[in-house]
Amino acid sequence: MNAAHDAFIATRDFLLAHRTDYDTAVRDFRWPVLSEFNWALDHFDPMARGNDQPALWIVGDDGSEHQRSFRQMSERSSQVANHLRVLGVRRGDRILLMLGNELALWETMLAAMKLGAVVIPATALLTPGDLRDRIDRGRVRHVVAAGAHTQKFADVEGDYTRICVGSAQPGWISHDAADACPLEFTPDAPTQASDPLLLYFTSGTTSKPKLVLHTHESYPVGHLSTMYWIGLQPGDMHLNISSPGWAKHSWSCVFAPWNAGACVFIYNAARFNAARLLAAAERYGVTTLCAPPTVWRLLIQEDLAAYRGRLMIRELVGAGEPLNPEIIDQVRDAWGITLRDGYGQTETTALLGNSPGQRVKPGSMGRPLPGYRVTLLDVEGREGPDGEVCLDLDARPLGLMRGYEDSPQATAQAMRDGCYHTGDTAVRDADGYVTFVGRADDVFKASDYRISPFELESILLEHEFVTEVAVVPSPDPMRPAIPKAFITVSSGSVPSRELAENILAFARKQLAPYKRVRRIEFVIELPKTLSGKIRRVELRKAEAERRQRGERSQNEYFEEDFPDLRRDE
């Protein structure tokens, strides 16, 4: 034990003690002041010493099951760290990690931390071109990849160590060689809390991915705010549905649960199946569940009420994109538990959220979490009840990134005028609750009114045949733009003129005239980033080009196609 460990644990325990006392937690919370800190050595290893409680439990839909205790994870990660050291991994080296939800992912994450190496998480969806970009811009020295993905690196040139997990591959070193290494690890030097730890390539919803740099304190310690938002407690069985390679996986499959001393539970499935997921949650006693809205939309299609009284779940949260109110209502009606929204970015930890025991307002992301001072700034930089979500750098939160490594200009732009600018817009009510409006790039004007795509999308998702929707501005000869919705329909329904009229009529009843969706187009799927976020920027560009050419697709319908709709005007 050391002073850094004690300071971290004291801060953690304060939040655990006030998990339902929001006012006290926000008023009295202080980030720990750390000079030297290595989360794996100063928190995880001491917590794991003699601790045979489960730390990681991976269950597959093929019947496979792997469970490791905190003690086993500590020892195994030390073996892996010793193995990586033998292979030449040194403090500050960049390791690209391309693994699925398998034991080696967590082993290698902890091992890299112990060594002081920098981890670049990578999703298995990346193409060779994507990998080439990451290896070049990330200055990668070592790659750890699953055997199934090693072929993607065949034409990716570079002087990097190649380590394979699983079946042996020609030219790759086996991860299993770590079995022969010592169970004890000795660091070569102290780790500075400000040393780099993680390098994330953003999902690129509006531009080429940027390189987000986090330190040994910004993500490990910063995610105390995420632990608080979720409501995690020691001994919890936490299920987070997220893919490796993206920041949310580290949020809720590594730091938040292990900060609390909870077990990370993983359910691996070749294809998502809501019924099997719920059965696994029941069988293994899941107590906390986090999933993106896409998953929640699939879950509510099941008979959730049939599971009431059978599940041990205490906390439900959603993140990635805003939760639509009808999802929250359906889950509450079925289980008697309030599904709570939260907000953060790859660049931050959870900074806004509906924390346990607090009133939840429909559609709201909640209030600022402990350690975050959130302001809303208008285009002139004035604070008010609506505007861009910003963080006051005079009280810089520990969970904020160091910056964009590859672009001092982008860092300066994001950190301008004494605030970190998220690029997201929101409104705040008199009680301090913040409601998402949209990406600053996604919000548009129609008939001189500001339109939030999210608000319109939330309404359309209430229609029984709509599964996914994205709203963008559509150029119009009479005004700058009108709202258009790109829609995917549920299985069993077929895009048609009749369905288009029905959806437009439904929207007219729910929306004020200036907000009305006046054009819709049925699509098979919406364009998304690799992390699953809708790329409205792509739809917006394509729509502008199509209107300029004067073209219409076969599955595109305009409000004026249905004269009966406009008889009330």
Side-chain angles (χ1 to χ4, degrees), residues 238-252:
H238 180 59
L239 168 58
N240 172 54
I241 301 172
S242 179
S243 298
W246 304 112
K248 185 57 175 64
H249 193 272
S250 287
W251 274 45
S252 205

Side-chain angles (χ1 to χ4, degrees), residues 100-167:
N101 277 322
E102 52 196 305
L103 291 172
L105 173 68
W106 284 267
E107 296 169 356
T108 309
M109 282 280 287
L110 288 169
M113 289 184 221
K114 292 180 178 184
L115 286 164
V118 181
V119 176
I120 301 178
T123 172
L125 299 174
L126 296 178
T127 66
D130 296 325
L131 291 171
R132 196 172 296 112
D133 176 60
R134 279 155 171 73
I135 286 175
D136 289 345
R137 288 204 289 150
R139 306 198 308 277
V140 171
R141 296 287 306 277
H142 316 276
V143 170
V144 181
H149 307 311
T150 56
Q151 190 58 36
K152 290 185 177 183
F153 294 87
D155 296 323
V156 180
E157 297 180 354
D159 182 19
Y160 53 89
T161 312
R162 302 177 185 227
I163 303 161
C164 173
V165 174
S167 57

Side-chain angles (χ1 to χ4, degrees), residues 2 18 39 61 96 145 157 213 242 261 375 396 430 535:
N2 55 37
H18 298 285
W39 186 80
D61 62 355
L96 187 138
E157 297 180 354
L213 183 62
S242 179
T375 61
R396 185 185 178 102
R535 279 186 54 83

